[in-house]
Amino acid sequence: MRTKIVAGNWKMNNDKNESKALIKHLKKALKNEPLENTRVIVAPTFVNLSSSIKTAKDSKVEVVAQNMHQAKNGAYTGEISAQMLKAIGIKTVILGHSERRTYFNETDASLAEKVDAVLENNLETIFCFGELLEDRKSDTHFAVVESQLKNALFHLEADAWKSVVLAYEPVWAIGTGETASAEQAQEMHAYIRSIIEKQYNKEVADAVSILYGGSVKPANAKEIFSKPDVDGGLIGGAALNVADFTGIINAI
Ligand code: PGA
């Protein structure tokens, strides 16, 4: 059975105390939840990772990073490496979020290097990708998604996929209040699984968790998560509020 995941991407929100408070509330809310085969993840900003790890200790809440640089170290002002994240206890790094691609010029090629750096350090990645509105309107969304996966991930050996979680996030649905329908999510997730099977094999395709992201809320989560190829969600706005985030966790 594939692992279910609800991951909150806090983006550039929550200072140290707010991060602490949110994790504490989450811990309390999840204390008596069985959470069978389900991971609950939060991604605070870099400066709050260490304190968040401390706050989340011995709980069902995992703390992950939102990004990292591909180099081991060196003259990259303002950047943070996989080794540095690992040294503070981080095990998972989100890569390729559409905001990173759009505002910080991340490309499939640079993301392929980041994925390699994550895996070389025995970390896991939650790898984000998804089409723009114009891609969907011009009916090229399947081709766009396929090329994003091919260029950033298909150089990996089959075995490396044990450390990869996928997050399909149609860019037109991120932070817009507009969600892909459960049918649109299922259709794309099934397509993603089919191209992974073609490139690798059925075992790899069946094992990888594929999350949906883009305006997931307690009100729509249940329907989206009910689809057979949707294994959870990457949540932005609704992850900043305990009631909404736990509502989404309950939906899974
Ligand atoms: P949203 O963000 O839930 O606010 O649409 C999703 C994301 O950016 O991962």
mmCIF file of all heavy atoms in Angstrom, residues 9 11 97 99 169 173-175 214-216 234-237, ligand 1:
data_model
loop_
_atom_site.group_PDB
_atom_site.id
_atom_site.type_symbol
_atom_site.label_atom_id
_atom_site.label_comp_id
_atom_site.label_asym_id
_atom_site.label_seq_id
_atom_site.Cartn_x
_atom_site.Cartn_y
_atom_site.Cartn_z
ATOM 1 N N ASN A 9 3.082 23.309 3.033
ATOM 2 C CA ASN A 9 4.178 24.169 2.583
ATOM 3 C C ASN A 9 3.888 25.575 3.097
ATOM 4 O O ASN A 9 3.007 26.251 2.579
ATOM 5 C CB ASN A 9 4.236 24.137 1.045
ATOM 6 C CG ASN A 9 5.238 25.119 0.491
ATOM 7 O OD1 ASN A 9 6.077 25.637 1.219
ATOM 8 N ND2 ASN A 9 5.144 25.384 -0.804
ATOM 9 N N LYS A 11 5.687 28.208 2.934
ATOM 10 C CA LYS A 11 6.250 29.290 2.116
ATOM 11 C C LYS A 11 6.910 30.335 3.024
ATOM 12 O O LYS A 11 7.452 29.983 4.055
ATOM 13 C CB LYS A 11 5.162 29.881 1.211
ATOM 14 C CG LYS A 11 4.415 28.774 0.450
ATOM 15 C CD LYS A 11 3.465 29.274 -0.592
ATOM 16 C CE LYS A 11 2.763 28.077 -1.243
ATOM 17 N NZ LYS A 11 1.892 28.440 -2.341
ATOM 18 N N HIS A 97 9.123 23.669 -6.602
ATOM 19 C CA HIS A 97 7.824 24.344 -6.458
ATOM 20 C C HIS A 97 7.672 25.406 -7.549
ATOM 21 O O HIS A 97 8.653 26.060 -7.924
ATOM 22 C CB HIS A 97 7.716 24.978 -5.070
ATOM 23 C CG HIS A 97 6.326 25.438 -4.791
ATOM 24 N ND1 HIS A 97 5.847 26.633 -5.270
ATOM 25 C CD2 HIS A 97 5.302 24.846 -4.140
ATOM 26 C CE1 HIS A 97 4.581 26.764 -4.913
ATOM 27 N NE2 HIS A 97 4.229 25.692 -4.215
ATOM 28 N N GLU A 99 6.658 28.328 -7.515
ATOM 29 C CA GLU A 99 7.148 29.671 -7.156
ATOM 30 C C GLU A 99 8.663 29.748 -7.307
ATOM 31 O O GLU A 99 9.209 30.786 -7.668
ATOM 32 C CB GLU A 99 6.705 30.015 -5.724
ATOM 33 C CG GLU A 99 5.216 30.334 -5.673
ATOM 34 C CD GLU A 99 4.513 29.909 -4.404
ATOM 35 O OE1 GLU A 99 5.178 29.721 -3.366
ATOM 36 O OE2 GLU A 99 3.274 29.751 -4.446
ATOM 37 N N GLU A 169 1.175 19.822 -9.179
ATOM 38 C CA GLU A 169 0.525 21.084 -8.810
ATOM 39 C C GLU A 169 0.287 21.928 -10.064
ATOM 40 O O GLU A 169 1.190 22.639 -10.509
ATOM 41 C CB GLU A 169 1.416 21.866 -7.846
ATOM 42 C CG GLU A 169 1.690 21.130 -6.554
ATOM 43 C CD GLU A 169 2.070 22.094 -5.439
ATOM 44 O OE1 GLU A 169 3.067 22.801 -5.569
ATOM 45 O OE2 GLU A 169 1.329 22.146 -4.453
ATOM 46 N N ALA A 173 -3.839 26.478 -10.314
ATOM 47 C CA ALA A 173 -4.647 26.175 -9.124
ATOM 48 C C ALA A 173 -3.944 26.572 -7.825
ATOM 49 O O ALA A 173 -4.512 26.460 -6.755
ATOM 50 C CB ALA A 173 -4.969 24.680 -9.095
ATOM 51 N N ILE A 174 -2.696 27.046 -7.921
ATOM 52 C CA ILE A 174 -1.938 27.365 -6.703
ATOM 53 C C ILE A 174 -2.285 28.753 -6.202
ATOM 54 O O ILE A 174 -2.061 29.746 -6.898
ATOM 55 C CB ILE A 174 -0.414 27.250 -6.947
ATOM 56 C CG1 ILE A 174 -0.048 25.807 -7.310
ATOM 57 C CG2 ILE A 174 0.361 27.697 -5.711
ATOM 58 C CD1 ILE A 174 1.416 25.615 -7.653
ATOM 59 N N GLY A 175 -2.850 28.788 -4.997
ATOM 60 C CA GLY A 175 -3.159 30.071 -4.360
ATOM 61 C C GLY A 175 -4.234 30.879 -5.065
ATOM 62 O O GLY A 175 -4.418 32.056 -4.791
ATOM 63 N N GLY A 214 -2.760 22.519 -4.908
ATOM 64 C CA GLY A 214 -3.429 23.633 -5.587
ATOM 65 C C GLY A 214 -4.790 23.870 -4.970
ATOM 66 O O GLY A 214 -5.747 23.162 -5.292
ATOM 67 N N SER A 215 -4.841 24.828 -4.024
ATOM 68 C CA SER A 215 -6.103 25.227 -3.387
ATOM 69 C C SER A 215 -6.867 24.060 -2.748
ATOM 70 O O SER A 215 -8.098 24.027 -2.797
ATOM 71 C CB SER A 215 -6.991 25.973 -4.385
ATOM 72 O OG SER A 215 -6.349 27.144 -4.833
ATOM 73 N N VAL A 216 -6.135 23.128 -2.141
ATOM 74 C CA VAL A 216 -6.818 22.079 -1.372
ATOM 75 C C VAL A 216 -7.310 22.682 -0.061
ATOM 76 O O VAL A 216 -6.585 23.423 0.612
ATOM 77 C CB VAL A 216 -5.873 20.880 -1.071
ATOM 78 C CG1 VAL A 216 -6.593 19.830 -0.228
ATOM 79 C CG2 VAL A 216 -5.366 20.265 -2.363
ATOM 80 N N LEU A 234 -0.249 18.467 -1.204
ATOM 81 C CA LEU A 234 0.701 19.493 -0.783
ATOM 82 C C LEU A 234 -0.129 20.767 -0.624
ATOM 83 O O LEU A 234 -0.748 21.251 -1.582
ATOM 84 C CB LEU A 234 1.806 19.675 -1.823
ATOM 85 C CG LEU A 234 2.915 20.680 -1.468
ATOM 86 C CD1 LEU A 234 3.585 20.330 -0.146
ATOM 87 C CD2 LEU A 234 3.971 20.731 -2.568
ATOM 88 N N ILE A 235 -0.154 21.272 0.599
ATOM 89 C CA ILE A 235 -1.108 22.313 0.953
ATOM 90 C C ILE A 235 -0.386 23.624 1.237
ATOM 91 O O ILE A 235 0.558 23.636 2.045
ATOM 92 C CB ILE A 235 -1.893 21.905 2.237
ATOM 93 C CG1 ILE A 235 -2.217 20.403 2.285
ATOM 94 C CG2 ILE A 235 -3.124 22.771 2.438
ATOM 95 C CD1 ILE A 235 -3.112 19.896 1.207
ATOM 96 N N GLY A 236 -0.829 24.713 0.653
ATOM 97 C CA GLY A 236 -0.239 26.020 0.927
ATOM 98 C C GLY A 236 -1.071 26.773 1.952
ATOM 99 O O GLY A 236 -0.959 26.548 3.158
ATOM 100 N N GLY A 237 -1.932 27.643 1.484
ATOM 101 C CA GLY A 237 -2.717 28.519 2.355
ATOM 102 C C GLY A 237 -3.405 27.814 3.512
ATOM 103 O O GLY A 237 -3.323 28.264 4.665
HETATM 104 P P1 PGA B 1 -2.251 26.560 -2.134
HETATM 105 O O1 PGA B 1 -0.700 26.266 -2.425
HETATM 106 O O2 PGA B 1 -2.767 25.371 -1.360
HETATM 107 O O3 PGA B 1 -2.262 27.831 -1.350
HETATM 108 O O4 PGA B 1 -2.918 26.678 -3.461
HETATM 109 C C1 PGA B 1 -0.283 24.991 -2.805
HETATM 110 C C2 PGA B 1 1.206 24.977 -2.955
HETATM 111 O O5 PGA B 1 1.775 26.014 -3.349
HETATM 112 O O6 PGA B 1 1.853 23.958 -2.709
#
